[in-house]
Amino acid sequence: MGLSGKTRRALLSLARDAVKAYLLEGRSLTPGEDCPDICSEPRGAFVTLREADGSLRGCMGQIAAVERLDWNVSRLAVVAATQDPRFPPVRPRELPRLSIEISAMTPPERLSSVEEIEVGRHGLIVRRGGFQGLLLPQVATEYHWDRKTFLEQTCLKAGLPTDAWRQEGTDLFSFKAEVWGEDETPDASPV
């Protein structure tokens, strides 16, 4: 954790450039050629696109730290703009009105007790059978949820009953995220 303001700004610029290249030129940025070496550390990430009024326009991510953070951000920005099943693909004319937010993740840790969850600091993952739901730490803060509501909403996101978090056989994980966006000061502290 603890990316510098310069790195944060560079990653935001990379995300915007990746979306622009894909929507305007039909091409993906090539890691190593088009993507400068910004952050080679493997980290999971989410990229969120918002409209001018703050409403969600797309959000996609990968919690596992499989790829370098800069490559992950570049790829996920395009996926958020074009493949979020909740929204039609972003059109080029929308680009100037969209803002980008990046969440760089820590690896998930299994919870032994729900008392370990700090609302606003931790994101949640609920797994049961073939179902999984994930909510970023800032979601609970944005909606002013308490711990119980956060757990219930994460269960709903997984397609499970709201009380699934209490049931045996349900796995709970928490993670932290360093979150910043174009509308914020890039030197802000991590969530």
Side-chain angles (χ1 to χ4, degrees), residues 52-95:
D53 65 1
S55 60
L56 184 64
R57 183 60 178 88
C59 180
M60 296 298 274
Q62 176 180 323
I63 191 73
V66 177
E67 296 177 316
R68 298 165 47 121
L69 181 58
D70 47 7
W71 297 357
N72 230 353
V73 165
S74 174
R75 180 181 57 81
L76 291 169
V78 173
V79 173
T82 61
Q83 296 177 33
D84 187 326
R86 300 170 290 182
F87 305 98
V90 170
R91 294 176 303 270
R93 70 174 186 263
E94 293 179 79
L95 276 173

Side-chain angles (χ1 to χ4, degrees), residues 46-133:
F46 275 73
V47 176
T48 303
L49 306 177
R50 295 197 181 274
E51 295 183 14
D53 65 1
S55 60
L56 184 64
R57 183 60 178 88
C59 180
M60 296 298 274
Q62 176 180 323
I63 191 73
V66 177
E67 296 177 316
R68 298 165 47 121
L69 181 58
D70 47 7
W71 297 357
N72 230 353
V73 165
S74 174
R75 180 181 57 81
L76 291 169
V78 173
V79 173
T82 61
Q83 296 177 33
D84 187 326
R86 300 170 290 182
F87 305 98
V90 170
R91 294 176 303 270
R93 70 174 186 263
E94 293 179 79
L95 276 173
R97 296 186 314 273
L98 292 180
S99 65
I100 298 173
E101 178 182 89
I102 297 171
S103 301
M105 326 302 288
T106 63
E109 296 180 5
R110 184 181 297 273
L111 291 168
S112 56
S113 165
V114 296
E115 300 303 316
E116 297 174 37
I117 300 167
E118 293 179 49
V119 175
R121 182 172 169 83
H122 292 122
L124 291 178
I125 300 171
V126 173
R127 284 189 196 141
R128 183 178 180 83
F131 297 90
Q132 176 174 296

